[in-house]
Amino acid sequence: MGEMLEGSTLSANCTTMSSTVSMSMLDLNEKIANSNGQLMCNMGGGGFAMSCSDLSLVSGHTLMANCMTTAGGLMETMVDLDNCISNSNGNLAWC
């Protein structure tokens, strides 16, 4: 799977059940949130991109960022996207 992160949008080449490859995109900001400096997946409303910076994709499946805490500091944090997103017949989907 060729993964790429542009802003908060994850793009990936996903294999369908018929073994064809399909390009799929998913806005991570929909369900990933910043909870006091920690990235959390499957949070209703998400919105992490408004309080996190330096977004990057590590090893193709880990989202890393610097996120604001409630005290106003920055914390380096990461979340394993394999626990949040799956391939649903060639389309990225929330678990």
Side-chain angles (χ1 to χ4, degrees):
M1 205 154 98
E3 301 88 1
M4 185 174 66
L5 185 67
E6 188 170 324
S8 64
T9 302
L10 176 67
S11 302
N13 292 318
C14 301
T15 305
T16 66
M17 290 193 292
S18 63
S19 298
T20 60
V21 176
S22 172
M23 172 59 84
S24 182
M25 295 171 35
L26 191 65
D27 185 358
L28 301 179
N29 209 38
E30 291 175 4
K31 298 253 183 170
I32 296 180
N34 172 11
S35 178
N36 193 25
Q38 296 288 323
L39 290 173
M40 308 288 285
C41 66
N42 293 324
M43 300 285 288
F48 80 96
M50 295 174 65
S51 58
C52 298
S53 60
D54 301 323
L55 309 179
S56 62
L57 197 58
V58 179
S59 300
H61 62 90
T62 302
L63 176 64
M64 184 184 304
N66 291 316
C67 296
M68 294 290 289
T69 65
T70 54
L74 276 179
M75 178 181 289
E76 186 177 78
T77 182
M78 58 186 72
V79 64
D80 186 347
L81 296 176
D82 284 347
N83 296 322
C84 311
I85 299 169
S86 64
N87 175 358
S88 177
N89 193 27
N91 294 299
L92 293 172
W94 297 105
C95 294

